[in-house]
Amino acid sequence: MSASSWHYVEPYAGDVAAALAAVRQREFERLFVNGTNGNGLQPAGQSFTSVDDLDNLWEEETFGSEGTHTIIDVWKVIKAEAYDDDHTVRPLSDEESIEIFGTAEPTQEDFEQAQERYVTGQPGSEELWGMPRWSAWCRPLKDVNGAVIVFWGRSGD
């Protein structure tokens, strides 16, 4: 399997770690509990029943380089000024947000427009996906329907 990109827009109550945990749990249930994952990601001889089990398989390197190609592949929230590393989620700084979205208070529409600029290869748009593989970024978004946060990242080799 090769590298993949993904993003999620989630309700946000001011706690990045709690929002991350909620979406990871929901994705785990969608993929593994409800049986929609048909690509054999369960490592031979290993069983898992929770997101924590998968995290432990990563730590033991039993999971190899496959991952789930979803937000489940990241679980450590780091500070905005920290260095992106494997399995980390880093909130963008205001400066990075301005560089990518043109504002320190982006909306979901701003994120979608940045994504469209990236997909169409517009100059400067590569900043949106500048994180290394096996990591993610996040940013709270202003939304008319309540507070949300966007997580976006890359999985795979």
Side-chain angles (χ1 to χ4, degrees):
M1 200 176 274
S2 63
S4 58
S5 301
W6 42 262
H7 74 274
Y8 300 82
V9 178
E10 297 299 316
Y12 184 58
D15 185 337
V16 173
L20 176 63
V23 69
R24 290 182 78 232
Q25 182 61 39
R26 191 180 70 243
E27 276 298 283
F28 177 84
E29 290 172 9
R30 183 182 71 81
L31 289 172
F32 300 106
V33 175
N34 297 326
T36 60
N37 184 19
N39 62 358
L41 289 175
Q42 185 170 340
Q46 298 290 325
S47 63
F48 52 87
T49 58
S50 70
V51 172
D52 290 337
D53 288 346
L54 285 179
D55 294 349
N56 290 333
L57 290 174
W58 272 108
E59 294 293 330
E60 296 168 5
E61 297 185 9
T62 306
F63 213 25
S65 60
E66 283 298 310
T68 63
H69 293 262
T70 71
I71 198 167
I72 295 172
D73 297 338
V74 296
W75 60 83
K76 299 178 213 170
V77 177
I78 59 176
K79 294 183 180 193
E81 59 276 1
Y83 177 76
D84 298 304
D85 201 1
D86 286 353
H87 311 294
T88 60
V89 176
R90 184 174 63 81
L92 288 186
S93 67
D94 286 348
E95 294 79 19
E96 290 171 310
S97 180
I98 291 167
E99 184 177 341
I100 292 172
F101 304 114
T103 178
E105 296 184 339
T107 63
Q108 188 166 347
E109 183 178 346
D110 292 327
F111 179 80
E112 292 167 3
Q113 288 173 352
Q115 178 74 2
E116 181 63 27
R117 288 190 304 272
Y118 178 80
V119 168
T120 59
Q122 294 180 26
S125 65
E126 62 278 352
E127 299 297 329
L128 178 66
W129 291 96
M131 78 284 294
R133 291 181 181 164
W134 303 115
S135 68
W137 292 342
C138 66
R139 186 70 183 179
L141 302 175
K142 292 179 76 170
D143 188 65
V144 295
N145 297 323
V148 296
I149 188 169
V150 62
F151 294 96
W152 70 103
R154 295 180 183 262
S155 297
D157 294 337

